[in-house]
Amino acid sequence: MKIAIPLGLGVFLIWYIYQSFTPTQIAETNKYFADANYGFVLLSVFLSVLSHFSRAYRWSFMLEAIGYKTKIANNFMAVSVAYLMNIFIPKSGEVSRAVILDKYENVPFQKGFGTIISERIVDLLFLLFFTALAFIIKFEILYDYIFEAIPASILYVLAAGILLIIISVPIYIRFSKSNINKRLKDFIIGLKEGVFSILKMKKKGPFILHTFFIWGLYILSFYTAMHALPETSNISIGTIIITFVVGSFTFAFTNSGFGTYPAAIAGILSVFGIAKTVGVALGWIVWISNISSIVIFGVLSLILLPIYNRDK
């Protein structure tokens, strides 16, 4: 269900968008695909892959803080496989990264996973920063769009579910005496060491710089891709940030934004007066190009990992 429901949602959104288009609009969308400047698309993909290298290098700072010096090549291939896994099974990439490091670098799974959680917390803070910035820039427009796209009832249910988990899990860990709880406590101890690795780092400065570099590349990659179509090449920086934020959140709803990413891009750009056909075309161009690079580097990493580490 975790796989089928997001995929089903993505398929439904694709069907919903195209069945609402007239033959003329479909022809327009196809023309945007044909006339797009794919030189900008390739540059956008290059910047995205460069951010993956930076992420792999940044990860090494956290691992060094808990006593493990890993090869950057293994870090990069683990990150590449993680992105690949997330396409098929949402949120499985974080697990696969820790598994790969456990197998090829002898970093205990729970410790490696802890560093990944810590890294994700930092990335979440940056995403929240850009979200807040987007709200400040065009508060009324973005607020209305989100609450039209996601019913308030769903947001309330999600908030209640998260609150219930936050309350119930610590109570279970504190009072349960089951074997499962004992294993869970051992896992949490290792996880805690990984999570707090960010506080033990000697290279906090480089870690922060790489974090800014990664998110700068994300924005620059998206900005570059928007130049693929003349209709989106002169959009203001405020609109770019808002569109980037809305697109980023779609990755939580379906497998790496399948179906939801183009729909969200088209929806938010239409708010700023850009034709829906343009937004759909741009959304698919950005999504397909990035997913293609993820699949290529992910598959190559799966092939090369055992070869690169054949002595282990």
Side-chain angles (χ1 to χ4, degrees):
M1 289 181 68
K2 190 175 182 181
I3 298 172
I5 291 175
L7 278 175
L9 175 60
V11 170
F12 170 76
L13 286 171
I14 294 170
W15 169 83
Y16 179 78
I17 289 172
Y18 282 97
Q19 67 85 30
S20 67
F21 277 3
T22 65
T24 301
Q25 287 177 308
I26 292 175
E28 284 180 8
T29 305
N30 292 337
K31 190 174 187 304
Y32 291 129
F33 275 108
D35 295 343
N37 187 331
Y38 286 96
F40 282 112
V41 176
L42 288 174
L43 178 57
S44 172
V45 169
F46 169 76
L47 293 170
S48 181
V49 173
L50 186 60
S51 75
H52 300 167
F53 273 105
S54 183
R55 179 176 293 279
Y57 191 65
R58 184 186 69 168
W59 194 15
S60 65
F61 301 151
M62 304 176 74
L63 292 167
E64 284 180 17
I66 57 174
Y68 298 94
K69 189 168 181 62
T70 58
K71 297 182 180 71
I72 300 301
N74 279 336
N75 288 3
F76 175 74
M77 287 188 281
V79 168
S80 298
V81 171
Y83 283 118
L84 177 66
M85 291 296 296
N86 280 335
I87 295 175
F88 303 101
I89 307 174
K91 306 305 179 186
S92 65
E94 286 75 9
V95 176
S96 71
R97 278 175 65 179
V99 168
I100 289 171
L101 233 61
D102 189 353
K103 181 175 182 179
Y104 294 113
E105 293 285 358
N106 298 317
V107 178
F109 173 83
Q110 63 268 31
K111 293 185 179 182
F113 190 68
T115 62
I116 296 166
I117 296 300
S118 183
E119 178 189 77
R120 286 305 187 191
I121 291 171
V122 172
D123 288 330
L124 177 61
L125 291 174
F126 268 74
L127 179 57
L128 292 176
F129 165 75
F130 281 109
T131 303
L133 184 61
F135 267 105
I136 292 169
I137 293 171
K138 297 284 177 77
F139 175 79
E140 290 184 4
I141 294 174
L142 191 58
Y143 180 88
D144 291 341
Y145 174 77
I146 290 175
F147 277 88
E148 284 179 12
I150 306 173
S153 58
I154 294 178
L155 293 175
Y156 294 146
V157 169
L158 288 173
I162 293 171
L163 183 62
L164 181 62
I165 292 172
I166 291 173
I167 294 172
S168 60
V169 170
I171 292 174
Y172 173 80
I173 294 173
R174 175 67 179 83
F175 295 104
S176 176
K177 297 181 180 179
S178 65
N179 289 329
I180 294 176
N181 190 38
K182 289 178 182 178
R183 293 180 182 178
L184 184 61
K185 285 181 178 178
D186 291 337
F187 177 80
I188 289 174
I189 291 171
L191 187 65
K192 183 179 178 182
E193 183 176 350
V195 168
F196 284 95
S197 62
I198 193 169
L199 301 177
K200 302 177 183 177
M201 282 190 303
K202 295 179 180 178
K203 301 178 180 177
K204 291 186 178 69
F207 178 89
I208 294 170
L209 286 175
H210 270 277
T211 301
F212 276 100
F213 185 60
I214 289 167
W215 282 89
L217 285 172
Y218 286 164
I219 294 286
L220 186 58
S221 175
F222 186 71
Y223 172 77
T224 303
M226 296 192 84
H227 282 73
L229 299 177
E231 293 78 6
T232 57
S233 60
N234 294 313
I235 291 176
S236 68
I237 186 64
T239 303
I240 290 171
I241 292 175
I242 289 172
T243 309
F244 168 78
V245 167
V246 171
S248 298
F249 277 108
T250 64
F251 284 77
F253 294 104
T254 59
N255 304 52
S256 295
F258 174 69
T260 56
Y261 187 87
I265 296 298
I268 193 64
L269 286 179
S270 67
V271 173
F272 295 98
I274 295 173
K276 200 169 184 179
T277 51
V278 175
V280 169
L282 178 70
W284 277 117
I285 289 170
V286 174
W287 190 83
I288 291 172
S289 60
N290 277 282
I291 292 299
S292 297
S293 71
I294 286 170
V295 170
I296 291 169
F297 280 95
V299 171
L300 283 175
S301 295
L302 283 172
I303 296 170
L304 294 175
L305 270 167
I307 297 173
Y308 181 75
N309 296 281
R310 56 178 170 266
D311 295 333
K312 283 193 172 293

